[in-house]
Amino acid sequence: MARSRKRFLSLTLKVDLILIATLAVGVGAVMAAFTISLLGSSDRLTRENLAQQGNILYTSIQNFMIPGDAPLAVKFFGAVSIASPNYSIKLYRRDGINAFSDNATIDTVNSNQTARKFARRLVIPDQPAMPNRPGLEKATAVPPEEVFFRDDAGGKSYFRSYKPLLNLPKCTICHGSDHTIRGVIDIRSDVTSVIAIQNLTLGAGLAGFFVVVGALALVLGSFLRRVVLDPVKQIGRVCTAVAGGSFEGRVEVRGRDEIGSLARTVNTMVEGLYERFELTKYVSSGTIGAIKEKRQEPKRVGRTLFFTDIRGFTSYTESKMPERVVEVLNRLLDRQSEIIQEHGGTIDKFVGDEIVAYFQDEDGPNKACRAAVAIARFCAERLEENDGLAVGMGIATGTVILGMVGSMRRADFTVIGDPVNVASRLCSIAKGGQIIVSDATRGRAAGEFAFRGPLAAKLKGKAALQKVWILTGSAVPEEGS
Amino acid sequence: MKHGVAAFAVAAAVCSSLALISGCAKSPEIYAPPEYVSWRATTDVVLNYPIPGHMNRFRLPRMNDLGFSAVPKTVGGKLHWDFPEDTVIVKEVYATSKPGPGDKPIQLTIMAKDPGDRRALGGWLWYTKVLPDGKETLFPGNYCITCHANANEQHPYGDGNPNEEFRDYVYFVPGEKPPMPGPHPEATGKGR
């Protein structure tokens, strides 16, 4: 199954991204809503204003116009445009041509009614090219639609509306009944300055948005980095150090919040781990293993017991300075421990200058003998350095009871049984540099090692003489020896 | 039990809100039922002369009996018409000026008197229905009423409303006198 590969993103970067995204969406949404509302309100206001003006003009035309006065209205619209340069009102026929710019309407009216004839214009001004009038079709359709649109021309912006003029029944007497729409009122309002202000507001809003988002991202990012990310990183560093075996690091506790609480917990945990780590030096690996595996029940197992003891150590301690005694003792015990562990043995306990260890598995006797030979060699090579101290060793193999021994308050996971006693006794009778093994041990290790014996030994606690052997070295001479 | 009551209250509130938002608290109503064809015509005048909005298409306006029960009051020495609520006038619009006996109208325009409806203009709801398959649809804007407002002043149709009575936006009111002599809309030609 293919494993999904995710790009590594640091927590700092993630938090920064989340902050910026949240601010951009949150503040941006508010800004966008505000801007849209502002622009929409302005447009709607202008549109409603134009519609209202159109309605007023239309109502005025409907109610106050006396037949024949339409040209006056056109003249009035022209005057309004002159008086207010940013505002214009125009009247178009339904075909888009400026009303009363020629004699077409006057001729129609004169032909439709006989009561009063209107004078034709004698001078017709040159007709400009018909301008494009977007939306005129909608405004002159049946039914018509009031049209609003924005018109940008000559660097200026206009809001415009086409207000349809209906051919009302009362108008049909003069203007005829063959059409529904007479024309449109075109109201044009210059909104260039309004648009400029809108754009300025929009630009300022956008700039403000980016400044606010940037500033908030910086402030919040810095705050979060100081309060959350840095302590988390520090916790990570301490944990990494602990995993590497260093217990010296501690997390700086800055506050009383959750992060501070976590930092305190981590520090407590590291201290606890350190204590446990130190304790492993004083507790046998068997005890630690039993605790780990939660096995407390005793059981019978085959083991090879291995005892070492420094010969003449008591008199040595009386003749030497304590510092020297401890230095030499620790060196001897330390190296013996290393050798035993290198050969797969388990240190059960230290009793003064004595080491109690055991080996398991089928080749436990061989391992124990190898360790003993190595210790003897070490002691021989460093005899002078160790002030002439040598180690006597005893090895016995057999069935022992393995289990927790002691009280509820203090116990050891250790071995008890006859091989333990035998190995101890053998060790006690061994001279410095001598390795005495039981007959059972020799029987299993005979192929690899040379033994001298058998010898009959009187061991404490044993009525009969015991058959024992002295390990003299490897059965096969070592290379170079 | 409490949860059930609360759920019902929430559902009721949501339904009420939706009804208010939609602006249609009333149930849908048909103003021109099939039997409208038996309603009496509002005028004997043959309406096939051109008028704005319908041109020379033949029109036949009919009104329900409630409308015919209206009696005008006299206000300021003039008659003042106020058709009762639920008066319905259905104007059939045909495709040509002289439809044959089997021809059906192509459109209905409907005036329904309902002054309490916020969508009413001049107290009337202005509907249209394109036949044969269209639905009754409220006409947007003030296109209809703008023309019909002329019914309340002098105009060129029917008796012409010479005294400018308020006729409640209806061009042919019950008992209207025959058309006055003079220029008839049919005589008018193309215009500007």
Side-chain angles (χ1 to χ4, degrees):
Chain A
M1 197 169 70
R3 295 176 65 183
S4 61
R5 286 186 181 177
K6 289 188 176 175
R7 238 177 66 188
F8 172 77
L9 283 178
S10 71
L11 192 57
T12 312
L13 186 59
K14 280 178 185 170
V15 168
D16 280 343
L17 287 175
I18 288 169
L19 271 176
I20 290 171
T22 306
L23 289 170
V25 171
V27 182
V30 172
M31 284 291 299
F34 175 74
T35 306
I36 290 168
S37 171
L38 183 72
L39 298 179
S41 298
S42 174
D43 283 3
R44 194 166 56 251
L45 201 64
T46 308
R47 183 182 167 128
E48 286 174 0
N49 193 16
L50 289 183
Q52 199 171 19
Q53 292 169 32
N55 286 335
I56 291 169
L57 284 171
Y58 189 30
T59 309
S60 303
I61 291 170
Q62 267 186 296
N63 289 280
F64 302 132
M65 286 287 285
I66 299 166
D69 284 352
L72 289 178
V74 174
K75 197 175 174 183
F76 165 69
F77 294 161
V80 169
S81 301
I82 292 168
S84 305
N86 296 331
Y87 186 79
S88 74
I89 309 169
K90 289 182 179 172
L91 191 62
Y92 304 141
R93 297 200 303 243
R94 64 180 178 279
D95 56 7
I97 294 173
N98 289 325
F100 302 107
S101 59
D102 56 23
N103 284 314
T105 304
I106 294 170
D107 289 345
T108 301
V109 170
N110 285 339
S111 70
N112 282 338
Q113 54 91 36
T114 55
R116 180 184 170 191
K117 297 292 183 186
F118 296 97
R120 302 185 81 240
R121 297 181 66 166
L122 298 177
V123 179
I124 303 296
D126 291 337
Q127 289 292 325
M130 179 73 172
N132 181 29
R133 302 204 194 284
L136 187 70
E137 298 78 18
K138 281 186 180 177
T140 55
V142 178
E145 191 179 312
E146 197 163 351
V147 178
F148 298 90
F149 61 99
R150 187 168 147 183
D151 185 16
D152 294 319
K156 291 200 165 190
S157 298
Y158 303 95
F159 261 120
R160 293 175 70 173
S161 81
Y162 285 158
K163 172 75 178 175
L165 278 172
L166 299 186
N167 185 25
L168 300 176
K170 65 183 179 182
C171 306
T172 59
I173 296 169
C174 294
H175 293 279
S177 298
D178 65 339
H179 57 282
T180 303
I181 309 299
R182 294 267 311 280
V184 298
I185 305 171
D186 175 11
I187 305 174
R188 191 179 77 163
S189 179
D190 187 347
V191 292
T192 309
S193 58
V194 176
I195 299 286
I197 291 170
Q198 276 182 355
N199 290 339
L200 189 66
T201 307
L202 190 62
L206 274 175
F209 164 72
F210 284 118
V211 169
V212 167
V213 167
L216 282 177
L218 277 176
V219 171
L220 287 177
S222 167
F223 175 75
L224 279 177
R225 194 170 293 116
R226 194 171 60 82
V227 171
V228 179
L229 299 180
D230 287 348
V232 167
K233 279 182 175 177
Q234 208 181 358
I235 289 169
R237 278 195 295 272
V238 168
C239 291
T240 305
V242 169
S246 169
F247 297 89
E248 290 167 4
R250 293 290 182 277
V251 183
E252 185 186 350
V253 180
R254 287 181 178 167
R256 299 172 63 86
D257 55 9
E258 289 85 346
I259 297 292
S261 174
L262 177 64
R264 275 190 292 275
T265 305
V266 168
N267 285 342
T268 307
M269 187 184 75
V270 171
E271 281 163 15
L273 285 172
Y274 175 68
E275 286 170 6
R276 283 162 183 73
F277 178 75
E278 286 297 305
L279 276 174
T280 58
K281 295 178 183 175
Y282 305 100
V283 178
S284 71
S285 58
T287 304
I288 294 168
I291 291 168
K292 276 184 185 172
E293 295 167 19
K294 295 180 178 174
R295 61 181 153 86
Q296 308 282 325
E297 298 79 17
K299 58 181 178 180
R300 290 183 187 280
V301 291
R303 291 285 185 271
T304 296
L305 274 300
F306 181 52
F307 278 67
T308 75
D309 187 46
I310 301 171
R311 293 284 92 95
F313 188 70
T314 306
S315 57
Y316 175 76
T317 59
E318 291 167 353
S319 62
K320 297 291 181 184
M321 296 294 287
E323 293 79 6
R324 177 63 183 170
V325 171
V326 172
E327 180 195 342
V328 173
L329 175 62
N330 283 345
R331 181 162 59 235
L332 279 169
L333 292 177
D334 190 48
R335 183 59 194 139
Q336 287 181 84
S337 299
E338 282 178 4
I339 291 170
I340 291 167
Q341 286 175 335
E342 282 167 9
H343 287 83
T346 300
I347 306 291
D348 185 54
K349 61 174 77 78
F350 294 92
V351 184
D353 60 331
E354 186 183 73
I355 294 176
V356 181
Y358 57 81
F359 293 79
Q360 54 190 22
D361 303 329
E362 281 299 309
D363 59 346
N366 298 66
K367 289 177 180 176
C369 291
R370 283 177 215 141
V373 170
I375 289 171
R377 187 182 297 135
F378 162 73
C379 289
E381 288 171 355
R382 302 291 181 90
L383 195 61
E384 191 177 344
E385 185 183 339
N386 294 327
D387 296 337
L389 290 174
V391 172
M393 291 166 272
I395 302 172
T397 302
T399 301
V400 296
I401 296 172
L402 189 66
M404 277 292 180
V405 178
S407 71
M408 291 296 287
R409 296 176 184 279
R410 173 72 172 85
D412 278 329
F413 193 80
T414 187
V415 286
I416 51 175
D418 186 57
V420 180
N421 298 328
V422 170
S424 173
R425 301 294 180 253
L426 292 176
C427 178
S428 65
I429 62 173
K431 294 174 183 174
Q434 200 173 47
I435 306 162
I436 302 179
V437 307
S438 69
D439 191 47
T441 304
R442 184 257 172 194
R444 296 200 193 171
E448 186 178 341
F449 295 96
F451 296 92
R452 182 161 58 86
L455 305 171
K458 172 66 179 163
L459 301 181
K460 188 181 175 185
K462 294 282 184 184
L465 290 174
Q466 300 293 308
K467 191 194 282 187
V468 299
W469 301 76
I470 296 173
L471 175 59
T472 54
S474 296
V476 181
E478 289 182 20
E479 208 171 303
S481 65
Chain B
M1 182 65 182
K2 280 183 180 176
H3 290 299
V5 172
F8 178 78
V10 169
V14 169
C15 290
S16 306
S17 303
L18 288 175
L20 284 173
I21 290 167
S22 67
C24 291
K26 282 188 172 182
S27 56
E29 200 166 352
I30 301 296
Y31 292 105
E35 61 269 22
Y36 88 87
V37 293
S38 65
W39 294 354
R40 283 176 280 167
T42 60
T43 180
D44 295 332
V45 177
V46 178
L47 304 178
N48 61 357
Y49 49 82
I51 59 168
H54 296 300
M55 298 298 100
N56 62 350
R57 286 176 175 145
F58 180 75
R59 286 94 56 195
L60 180 56
R62 300 174 187 274
M63 185 161 64
N64 62 4
D65 288 342
L66 185 64
F68 280 101
S69 71
V71 177
K73 293 181 288 187
T74 302
V75 177
K78 292 183 184 179
L79 291 181
H80 184 99
W81 289 82
D82 183 9
F83 286 89
E85 189 170 343
D86 293 333
T87 295
V88 178
I89 300 171
V90 178
K91 182 168 70 181
E92 294 178 335
V93 180
Y94 288 78
T96 64
S97 60
K98 291 179 181 175
D103 288 349
K104 301 281 185 187
I106 59 169
Q107 182 190 17
L108 302 179
T109 59
I110 303 161
M111 293 171 67
K113 191 71 185 285
D114 190 356
D117 194 307
R118 64 179 179 82
R119 300 166 298 164
L121 296 172
W124 297 89
L125 292 170
W126 306 82
Y127 276 88
T128 183
K129 181 179 184 181
V130 177
L131 298 175
D133 301 320
K135 289 185 200 170
E136 291 183 3
T137 310
L138 192 72
F139 210 94
N142 54 8
Y143 175 61
C144 301
I145 192 174
T146 303
C147 275
H148 275 260
N150 267 198
N152 302 326
E153 53 190 340
Q154 287 190 32
H155 58 74
Y157 312 135
D159 67 355
N161 194 9
N163 297 324
E164 299 204 321
E165 300 161 356
F166 180 79
R167 290 184 171 176
D168 207 3
Y169 304 93
V170 177
Y171 275 108
F172 297 97
V173 292
E176 188 175 315
K177 293 174 184 173
M180 295 170 65
H184 192 273
E186 285 182 313
T188 58
K190 287 182 181 289
R192 293 282 180 186

